[in-house]
């Protein structure tokens, strides 16, 4: 079939969808009977911001509940149910049944054995086997993240998991973090995404992934390593210019001495030290490595008492107005605008301070603000939002079986999960993602998604099935929530498409699909 | 040599025709004669003290009991390579940067850096890339390479600068849209002329329009270049990889089309287990050195009109820490390489490294402001007027290191 001919056919299809004939998958009968009001431009844009992009289920839920009740449900998702096939895929992952402390012990033991082996093929093979296993476990964590991002009805929760993972960023290729990143997300980040900010800081502080990533497992009395202390102040809580000095960094590093990782047996300690020993999984506070001297942090004296000092110091740090402002601004950068209105950030910071850092309350303030509504349509999607929203839109709830293409695209765009080498996390603004090289790569991904199935329905393991087919983007969702708001240039480009595949590619490449 | 360049010209003509005049053509113009610059940013704060080793300082050996590099000793290839009575080079770059130095094609500027004292990687990288005075408000849309480009080619368009990075670096922010493309993995161009035009047209009037058309065009252009690389590689059986392959591709593009290039390399944040003559830092330095050597040889005669500057956001603590690594410091060592520079020298203001000489008793002091160093180089490279220089680095007195 030549391009012109297929073009005629799909245009017919598109037109017949508008008038409600030519039903596909038997769902178009609902268009005529739906009693709910149509989505306005601000509705679709608002919903795009509060989710990883439109799909029929989220649009339906929004129309049914209205904006504020939709938000309330998103902020308190409870145990949001994933579609059964997705839940089954996740349940089948090895990381869903893991005891990472035990893994860590095993890995350490295996590396010890391997290092003791004589050089040669056996050693190389053993090393490769353990490396491959680490790679597979880290990939499982990525796979779970992506499946949840695409299919969870608790969309805002998934965005917040991404946001906080990025805020408390770790890099899978450091030390043995590949064994830990899944657990880091599941236990340190996910339970606290709408909770109190202090709990997030403490949970990341007590996770072996963070402690190894920023070297605090190496930080001991007399052997100070200030890496984590610095980033805790600069990137996690107060921000550069947040009112701390190099002296505060050094003092916080002393407070953090002894906070580390131990996957093996507990150390032998004198009784008075034993009392102060803290252990949970592979997290350890070892008082024998702690500097018990008096310290001063942010002008406050910190008396030597062991792990209590850490809790006190974190409490002191997160109660600083600078922390409320820094965290509020980061949230507004991700959700509102690249230059967030200072008045909004200030109100969010006030909410943060009045509620002891209640993240849900701060988000409520932000999502229901005038400033948020006024900023709609101007936020450039970062690569994760772009790729996830394209899959949500293209397949609209249909389960994909293979997430590797999505990971490859994120790699190509420079935003792989757990792939940021430096602890500052990925950029939250357009400046980081809209250069010429990235725009052309984005279009290539648009084509991969629009013009074929890109391997998304191949099995995860084994040979590629090579199934043919491409998504139908000129669907009901498109005509309800996208088409009415397209700019003239975009409509023109769509009209110039010769095939449905090309039409899909142009739609996913359009400014409207990259901005929300 | 002649034949490939003929082919290339034909390919370029072909590609310009393919894409049409609307979006093609602007990037293809070769830079007018004059100097080329490649800026290499080592992100993470490389440990300059174990690159350019102050071997005459006993304090150095006291401060680094486990990671110091042994004094020059012709009998040992894990010892440092003596450059003069005080300084020596890491053995990891003996064959690459060391031999450039011996040919007077390399020079070093120790005690260089910024007055930014945040000791934060990100803050300091940003402030260096912006290159603005520390006092006064910051403009995140104005980097020093962006201002240099605009000064050399006019503000409206820039057809001779490129960043070999996944994302456009802050250094290139400015009025013009500078293209960026990582050369790590380059495949076939995905769109034909008609499709590329439709995609560009969709962004007409949009602020991303220049980025969109430049991106499509550059992608096409580089694919053509790589087709040439493939045939050259097959013929000459060149099998480079990693940074060396990227360096070879950079040289190819810069030789033909670009005057100013930028690349960044990560992995220098050696808090733990830095190593000495061998180890983590040494293998990073070795790969960098080999890549830059490939870059210089691939440029051919153009190496004589090219300057490479290697810099980093800060140096590291003079003393090693408790984990056989080093922490964030202050002053560092900048490198200047080039086929016709007056190299083989260590320049700029210096200080003898004894107890009490360190900044805050922990780091190299900054005796040569990076803006003065770079501004002085740019002035000599392109004969800039004082007014032009002050557009690039405002409120800075330029340093003439007499290297170019």
């Amino acid at each position: 079939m030549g391009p012109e001919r297929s073009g005629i056919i799909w245009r017919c299809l598109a037109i017949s969808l508008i008038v409600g004939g030519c039903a596909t998958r038997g769902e178009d009968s609902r268009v005529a009977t739906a009693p709910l009001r149509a989505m306005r431009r601000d509705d679709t844009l608002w919903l795009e911001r509060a989710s990883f992009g439109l799909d029929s289920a989220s649009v339906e839920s929004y129309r049914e509940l209205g904006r504020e009740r939709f938000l309330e449900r998103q902020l308190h998702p409870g145990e949001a149910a994933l579609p059964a096939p997705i839940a089954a895929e996740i349940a089948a992952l090895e990381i869903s049944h893991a005891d990472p402390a035990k893994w860590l012990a095993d890995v350490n033991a295996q590396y010890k054995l391997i290092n003791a082996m004589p050089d040669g093929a056996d050693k190389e093979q053993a090393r490769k086997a353990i490396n491959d296993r680490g790679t597979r476990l880290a990939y499982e964590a990525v796979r779970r993240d992506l499946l949840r991002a695409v299919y969870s009805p608790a969309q805002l929760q998934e965005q917040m998991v991404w946001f906080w993972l990025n805020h408390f960023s770790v890099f899978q290729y450091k030390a043995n973090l590949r064994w830990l990143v899944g657990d880091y997300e599941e236990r340190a980040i996910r339970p606290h995404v709408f909770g109190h900010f202090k709990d997030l800081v403490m949970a990341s502080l007590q996770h072996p992934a963070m402690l190894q990533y920023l070297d605090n497992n190496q930080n001991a009395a007399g052997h100070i390593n200030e890496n984590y202390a610095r980033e805790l102040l600069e990137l996690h809580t107060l921000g550069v210019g947040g009112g701390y000095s190099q002296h505060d960094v050094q003092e916080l590093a002393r407070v953090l001495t002894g906070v580390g990782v131990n996957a093996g047996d507990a150390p032998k300690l004198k009784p008075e030290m034993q009392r102060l020993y803290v252990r949970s999984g592979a997290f350890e506070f070892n008082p024998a490595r702690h500097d018990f001297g008096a310290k001063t942090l942010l002008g406050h004296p910190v008396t030597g008492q062991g792990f209590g000092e850490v809790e006190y110091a974190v409490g002191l740090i997160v109660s600083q107005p600078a922390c409320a402002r820094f965290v509020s601004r980061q949230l507004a950068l991700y959700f509102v605008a690249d230059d967030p209105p200072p008045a909004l950030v200030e109100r969010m910071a006030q909410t943060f301070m009045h509620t002891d850092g209640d993240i849900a309350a701060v988000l409520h303030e932000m999502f229901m603000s005038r400033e948020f509504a006024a900023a709609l349509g101007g936020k450039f999607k970062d690569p994760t939002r772009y790729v996830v929203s394209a899959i949500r839109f293209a397949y609209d709830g249909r389960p994909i079986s293979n997430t590797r293409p999505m990971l490859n695209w994120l790699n190509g765009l420079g935003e792989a999960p757990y792939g940021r080498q430096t602890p500052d996390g990925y950029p939250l603004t357009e400046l980081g993602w809209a250069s010429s090289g990235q725009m052309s790569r984005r279009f290539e991904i648009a084509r991969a998604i629009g013009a074929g199935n890109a391997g998304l329905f191949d099995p995860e393991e084994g040979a590629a099935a090579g199934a043919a087919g491409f998504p139908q983007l000129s669907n009901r969702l498109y005509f309800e929530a996208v088409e009415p708001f397209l700019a003239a240039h975009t409509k023109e480009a769509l009209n110039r498409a010769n095939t449905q595949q090309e039409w899909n590619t142009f739609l996913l490449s359009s400014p409207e699909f990259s901005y929300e | 040599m002649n034949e490939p360049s003929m082919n290339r010209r034909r390919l370029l003509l072909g590609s310009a025709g393919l894409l049409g005049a609307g979006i093609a053509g602007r990037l293809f113009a070769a830079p007018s004669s004059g100097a080329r610059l490649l800026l290499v940013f080592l992100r993470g704060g490389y440990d300059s003290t174990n690159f350019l080793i102050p071997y005459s300082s006993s304090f150095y050996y006291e401060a680094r009991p486990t990671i110091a590099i042994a004094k020059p000793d012709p009998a040992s290839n894990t010892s440092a390579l003596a450059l003069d009575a005080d300084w020596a080079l890491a053995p990891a770059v003996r064959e690459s940067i060391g031999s450039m130095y011996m040919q007077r094609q390399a020079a070093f500027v120790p005690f260089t850096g910024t007055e930014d004292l945040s000791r934060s990687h990100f803050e300091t990288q940003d402030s260096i890339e912006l290159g603005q005075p520390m006092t006064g408000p910051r403009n995140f849309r104005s980097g020093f390479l962006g201002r240099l480009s605009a000064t050399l080619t006019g503000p409206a368009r820039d057809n001779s600068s490129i960043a070999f990075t996944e994302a456009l670096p802050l250094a290139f922010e400015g009025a013009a849209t500078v293209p960026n493309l990582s050369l790590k993995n380059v495949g076939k161009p995905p769109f034909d002329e008609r499709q590329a035009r439709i995609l560009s047209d969709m962004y007409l009037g949009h602020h991303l329009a220049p980025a969109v058309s430049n991106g499509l065009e550059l992608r096409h252009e580089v694919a053509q270049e790589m087709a040439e690389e493939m045939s050259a590689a097959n013929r000459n059986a060149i099998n480079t990889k990693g940074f060396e392959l990227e360096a070879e591709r950079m040289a190819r593009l810069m030789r033909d089309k670009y005057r100013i290039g930028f690349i960044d390399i990560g992995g220098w944040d050696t808090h733990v287990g830095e190593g000495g003559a061998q180890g983590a830092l040494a293998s990073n330095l070795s790969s960098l050195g080999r890549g830059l050597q490939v870059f210089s040889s691939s440029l051919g005669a153009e190496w004589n009109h090219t300057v490479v500057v290697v810099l980093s956001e800060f140096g590291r603590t003079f003393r090693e820490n408790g984990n056989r690594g080093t922490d964030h410091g202050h002053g560092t060592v900048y490198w200047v390489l080039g086929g016709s520079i007056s190299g083989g020298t260590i320049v700029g203001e210096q200080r003898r490294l004894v107890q009490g000489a360190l900044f805050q008793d922990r780091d190299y002091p900054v005796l040569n402001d990076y803006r003065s160093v770079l501004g002085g180089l740019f002035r000599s490279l392109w004969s800039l007027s004082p007014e032009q220089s002050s557009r690039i680095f405002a409120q800075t007195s330029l340093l003439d290191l007499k290297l170019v």
Side-chain angles (χ1 to χ4, degrees):
Chain A
M1 186 189 293
E4 285 95 41
R5 192 162 155 67
S6 69
I8 290 165
I9 288 174
W10 71 256
R11 279 200 193 98
C12 276
L13 176 67
I15 290 160
S16 54
L17 277 175
I18 299 179
V19 297
C22 186
T24 53
R25 289 188 291 169
E27 64 189 7
D28 292 280
S29 56
R30 276 184 291 169
V31 177
T33 56
L36 302 161
R37 69 177 173 81
M39 295 288 277
R40 295 184 319 231
R41 180 169 179 273
D42 64 302
D43 291 318
T44 59
L45 289 170
W46 190 94
L47 179 56
E48 283 184 287
R49 290 271 181 107
S51 68
F52 269 119
L54 304 180
D55 67 359
S56 293
S58 61
V59 169
E60 214 162 286
S61 168
Y62 179 90
R63 289 172 64 174
E64 187 190 315
L65 296 170
R67 190 172 297 180
E68 186 145 24
R69 280 176 58 217
F70 178 87
L71 178 62
E72 278 309 312
R73 189 165 295 187
Q74 289 290 317
L75 289 173
H76 305 97
E79 289 289 315
L82 286 163
I86 301 297
E89 280 191 54
I90 290 175
L93 298 174
E94 196 178 344
I95 53 166
S96 301
H97 314 277
D99 177 359
K102 189 178 166 305
W103 273 354
L104 211 51
D106 289 351
V107 168
N108 291 343
Q110 283 178 53
Y111 270 122
K112 205 172 265 179
L113 284 175
I114 291 169
N115 287 336
M117 286 167 73
D119 287 348
D122 287 354
K123 185 173 187 167
E124 281 313 302
Q125 202 175 357
R127 185 166 289 168
K128 185 174 179 310
I130 192 169
N131 265 328
D132 287 352
R133 184 169 150 75
T135 302
R136 191 164 56 78
L137 293 173
Y139 173 67
E140 282 197 358
V142 171
R143 176 169 166 74
R144 185 173 63 184
D145 282 351
L146 292 174
L147 289 174
R148 283 168 167 166
V150 174
Y151 296 101
S152 173
Q155 280 284 296
L156 187 56
Q157 174 175 266
E158 297 311 316
Q159 280 199 298
M160 289 306 293
V161 167
W162 187 92
F163 176 85
W164 291 125
L165 272 175
N166 194 57
H167 187 89
F168 298 95
S169 187
V170 297
F171 179 57
Q172 62 161 306
Y173 297 105
K174 174 135 182 189
N176 45 29
L177 257 65
R178 286 174 297 168
W179 278 262
L180 298 172
V181 288
D183 187 67
Y184 180 64
E185 188 240 300
E186 193 73 4
R187 286 197 309 123
I189 302 295
R190 179 170 289 274
H192 306 292
V193 296
F194 294 128
H196 288 272
F197 182 69
K198 185 187 175 188
D199 296 338
L200 256 178
V201 178
M202 285 306 294
S204 62
L205 184 148
Q206 293 173 84
H207 200 281
M210 178 60 79
L211 294 174
Q212 293 191 88
Y213 175 54
L214 290 178
D215 302 323
N216 207 71
N217 55 331
Q218 315 266 356
N219 184 22
H223 295 273
I224 292 291
N225 188 310
E226 61 189 44
N227 199 15
Y228 179 46
R230 177 185 309 284
E231 308 306 9
L232 181 56
L233 291 172
E234 175 185 332
L235 299 173
H236 298 170
T237 58
L238 300 181
V240 170
Y244 62 92
S245 64
Q246 170 64 23
H247 182 70
D248 289 317
V249 171
Q250 287 163 338
E251 292 291 272
L252 181 59
R254 291 178 60 214
V255 169
L256 290 168
T257 46
V259 173
V261 178
N262 180 4
D265 298 333
K268 300 247 179 304
L269 297 170
K270 292 180 199 147
E272 70 269 24
M273 285 285 179
Q274 188 59 50
R275 202 166 46 81
L276 297 170
Y277 182 74
V278 181
R279 177 76 178 262
S280 165
F283 166 77
E284 173 185 81
F285 173 75
N286 184 350
R289 290 166 59 82
H290 184 68
D291 176 347
F292 280 90
K295 302 148 191 113
T296 307
L297 181 64
L298 302 169
H300 294 259
V302 182
T303 44
Q305 47 171 306
F307 193 66
E309 285 173 51
V310 177
E311 286 169 329
Y312 171 75
V314 169
L316 180 64
I317 293 163
V318 301
S319 67
Q320 304 291 306
C323 180
R325 293 199 174 96
F326 176 67
V327 173
S328 297
R329 187 162 190 283
Q330 292 301 105
L331 284 165
L333 272 179
Y334 183 60
F335 283 108
V336 185
D338 290 1
D339 188 10
L344 172 62
V345 174
E346 187 54 33
R347 289 207 310 281
M348 291 166 66
Q350 291 300 328
T351 304
F352 186 105
M353 287 186 265
H354 293 149
T355 60
D356 192 21
D358 181 333
I359 297 156
V362 174
L363 287 174
H364 189 275
E365 173 74 41
M366 182 186 78
F367 273 105
M368 296 310 291
S369 69
R370 268 176 295 113
E371 291 91 339
F372 189 88
L376 291 173
K379 184 78 188 159
F380 188 76
K381 292 179 186 173
D382 67 283
T384 304
R385 277 172 163 153
Y386 179 77
V387 167
V388 175
S389 68
I391 298 301
R392 280 172 62 77
F393 186 75
Y395 291 104
D396 202 12
R398 177 181 166 197
I400 61 170
S401 52
N402 194 329
T403 45
R404 282 188 199 274
M406 294 181 74
L407 175 58
N408 291 342
W409 296 326
L410 292 174
N411 271 325
L413 289 169
E415 202 182 28
Y418 312 110
R420 180 75 167 179
Q421 188 168 14
T422 52
D424 53 342
Y426 291 113
L428 300 177
T429 62
E430 177 175 325
L431 200 57
W433 304 116
S435 68
S436 59
Q438 288 185 317
M439 290 311 290
S440 59
R441 209 171 279 249
R442 189 170 282 217
F443 299 158
E444 290 172 41
I445 291 162
R447 192 172 88 152
I449 297 172
N453 64 29
L456 292 162
F457 298 95
D458 286 349
E460 271 286 330
E461 310 288 341
F470 52 87
Q472 184 73 26
L473 265 61
S474 51
N475 54 22
R476 177 169 145 249
L477 183 59
Y478 167 75
F479 288 107
E480 275 181 16
V482 177
E483 195 268 350
F485 316 118
L486 291 178
H489 284 317
T490 301
K491 286 183 177 162
E492 230 166 82
L494 294 174
N495 282 333
R496 287 159 76 184
N498 283 341
T499 60
Q500 177 71 50
Q501 291 98 311
E502 222 175 66
W503 189 95
N504 291 345
T505 304
F506 294 158
L507 181 67
L508 295 177
S509 303
S510 66
E512 288 87 343
F513 204 84
S514 272
Y515 283 89
E516 59 185 33
Chain B
M1 286 306 287
N2 275 335
E3 206 182 51
S5 91
M6 285 287 287
N7 283 341
R8 177 178 49 72
R9 210 155 283 137
R10 207 177 63 234
L11 282 169
L12 293 185
L13 283 171
S15 62
L18 182 64
L19 276 180
I23 59 168
R26 283 183 289 113
L27 288 165
F28 294 121
S32 53
S33 63
R36 286 176 173 70
L37 170 74
L38 175 70
L39 198 104
V40 180
F41 202 125
L42 308 183
R43 295 195 190 273
Y46 89 108
D47 183 20
S48 59
T49 310
N50 264 11
F51 167 74
L52 185 67
I53 295 129
Y55 75 94
S56 67
S57 159
S58 58
F59 184 28
Y60 167 78
Y61 290 96
E62 288 157 27
R64 296 185 168 215
T66 71
I67 64 168
I69 290 175
K71 288 188 190 218
D73 171 4
S76 158
N77 61 7
T78 59
S79 71
L81 172 69
L83 303 181
D84 65 15
D86 294 312
W87 300 101
L89 207 54
V93 294
R94 179 191 301 268
E95 311 294 333
S96 54
I97 307 301
S99 69
M100 281 188 194
Y101 186 91
M102 299 307 163
Q103 296 168 60
R104 295 168 51 85
Q105 295 188 354
F108 304 108
V109 197
F111 305 108
T112 302
T114 154
E115 59 199 296
D116 188 313
L117 267 177
S118 64
R119 285 203 179 82
S120 147
H121 294 296
F122 322 107
E123 179 74 7
T124 317
Q125 288 173 14
D126 286 0
S127 80
I128 287 178
E129 290 187 62
L130 295 173
Q132 297 165 16
M134 288 295 286
T135 52
R138 274 191 185 181
N139 177 1
F140 273 87
R141 288 282 183 178
S142 178
F144 76 81
L145 287 180
R147 295 193 296 273
L148 173 63
S149 285
T151 302
L152 295 176
T153 52
R157 61 181 178 283
D158 186 357
N159 52 14
S160 66
S161 295
I162 185 165
F164 302 107
T165 50
E166 296 279 4
L168 190 70
L170 216 45
F172 264 132
E173 280 300 322
T177 303
V178 171
N180 73 293
L181 183 70
S182 164
L183 298 176
K184 284 192 184 105
N185 303 299
V186 186
K188 282 188 297 189
F191 298 108
D192 65 24
E193 180 200 356
R194 186 187 65 85
Q195 291 169 326
R197 180 184 295 284
I198 292 172
L199 288 166
S200 287
D201 286 353
M202 197 156 49
Y203 281 81
L204 280 175
H206 195 281
H207 72 273
L208 290 183
V212 166
S213 55
N214 282 355
L216 290 165
E217 191 178 335
L218 179 64
R219 191 67 188 67
H220 195 88
E221 179 185 350
V222 168
Q224 301 283 7
E225 284 282 345
M226 293 313 129
E228 183 196 342
E229 173 191 286
M230 295 278 281
S231 63
N234 291 341
R235 197 168 55 243
N236 304 335
I238 296 167
N239 183 19
T240 47
K241 55 181 185 180
F243 181 60
E244 283 169 81
L245 177 59
E246 270 183 278
E248 191 190 331
R249 290 170 169 175
M250 284 194 297
R252 192 184 289 275
L253 285 172
M254 285 196 70
R255 185 187 65 199
D256 296 336
K257 301 181 197 76
Y258 296 103
R259 176 158 40 198
I260 302 171
F262 176 99
I263 187 162
D264 52 17
I265 302 169
W268 303 95
D269 196 15
T270 48
H271 286 281
V272 177
E274 174 175 317
Q278 278 130 13
L281 176 67
S283 69
N284 273 353
L285 283 173
S286 166
S287 152
L288 172 64
R290 277 181 283 118
L292 291 174
Q293 201 173 27
V294 167
F295 180 77
S296 72
S297 59
S298 304
L299 275 172
E302 279 305 314
W303 177 235
N304 289 328
H305 308 291
T306 302
V307 167
V308 175
V309 176
V310 179
L311 55 80
S312 193
E313 66 264 33
F314 43 58
R316 306 190 71 84
T317 48
F318 190 70
R319 297 179 185 87
E320 68 178 71
N321 64 19
N323 313 129
R324 304 188 174 199
T326 47
D327 294 321
H328 302 185
H330 191 44
T332 182
V333 178
Y334 280 33
W335 322 359
V336 181
L337 316 173
S340 57
I341 67 164
S342 308
T345 174
I346 290 149
V347 293
E349 192 170 330
Q350 299 177 29
R351 177 179 297 177
R352 191 148 281 284
L353 287 163
V354 292
Q355 292 274 5
L358 297 180
F359 175 73
Q360 293 180 350
D361 192 32
R362 61 180 260 158
D363 310 320
Y364 272 15
V366 170
L367 307 177
N368 305 294
D369 179 75
Y370 78 104
R371 295 171 6 114
S372 305
V373 170
L374 295 176
L377 273 174
F378 297 166
R379 177 178 62 186
S380 311
L381 273 172
W382 290 288
S383 310
L384 302 179
S385 70
E387 190 273 326
Q388 286 176 314
S389 289
S390 73
R391 257 190 266 157
I392 301 163
F393 291 120
Q395 301 163 40
T396 304
S397 55
L398 304 185
L399 204 57
D400 185 5
L401 298 171
K402 302 205 179 342
L403 296 175
V404 290

